[in-house]
Amino acid sequence: MRVIKKLKIWFLTFFRDVFVYHNSSLEFRAKLFAAIIGANKKVDACEEKILEEVAREIYPDDEARADVLVRTTKEYVNKIVLNNGLDLNELILAIDHELKEVRRFCDKVDIEKLKRFLSCTQNDEETLLIQQRILEFLSGELEDFRKIR
């Protein structure tokens, strides 16, 4: 049974553009989490645990969607870590652009959920500083965009 679930999640992740309802919202959230995690250059056990928890909080009634969010986030982090066509700055610029283009995405940014990931990098001051700067940037952008709306 576990194999079938893994295949379903893989299928939904791979074809999320076609089969996942409101895929753009899920992708946007994955980018947010990937920006914070990507600053650490890896998804370790601490970050994976928090990511799983947050995904289940966002989608409490849809386990498959939560799993797709987790896998999509990991894909973005891997692209950042492996320098596979995406770096952290590009990702942050893409998030900013999407916030400007799709105003409802402002409601998808939950700074408190993003702050949880900072607990995984308490021993790495440089990464913690980068993550804090990302949160400050997002908070500032949200404040500006909400004034416009």
Side-chain angles (χ1 to χ4, degrees), residues 32-33 36-37 46-47 50 54 109-122 128 131-136 138-139:
L32 288 171
F33 296 128
I36 292 295
I37 296 169
C46 176
E47 290 163 329
I50 293 171
V54 168
V109 180
D110 186 332
I111 298 296
E112 293 307 311
K113 282 183 175 40
L114 294 170
K115 281 182 180 178
R116 289 191 205 172
F117 292 97
L118 275 59
S119 66
C120 297
T121 55
Q122 291 299 318
L128 189 58
Q131 289 173 323
Q132 288 171 338
R133 294 290 185 255
I134 292 168
L135 291 174
E136 289 169 8
L138 289 171
S139 294

Side-chain angles (χ1 to χ4, degrees), residues 9-76:
I9 300 306
W10 176 87
F11 182 82
L12 287 174
T13 303
F14 192 75
F15 294 107
R16 62 185 172 261
D17 291 343
V18 177
F19 292 108
V20 177
Y21 178 71
H22 282 272
N23 176 59
S24 62
S25 174
L26 186 143
E27 288 277 335
F28 179 76
R29 283 185 165 131
K31 288 176 185 176
L32 288 171
F33 296 128
I36 292 295
I37 296 169
N40 198 16
K41 299 290 187 195
K42 64 182 181 293
V43 180
D44 63 17
C46 176
E47 290 163 329
E48 185 154 359
K49 180 179 182 251
I50 293 171
L51 182 58
E52 295 270 347
E53 289 171 0
V54 168
R56 295 215 177 344
E57 290 170 15
I58 293 170
Y59 303 116
D61 300 324
D62 194 344
E63 186 177 335
R65 191 169 177 84
D67 288 339
V68 171
L69 175 60
V70 169
R71 287 189 57 129
T72 304
T73 301
K74 288 179 180 180
E75 283 179 17
Y76 280 115

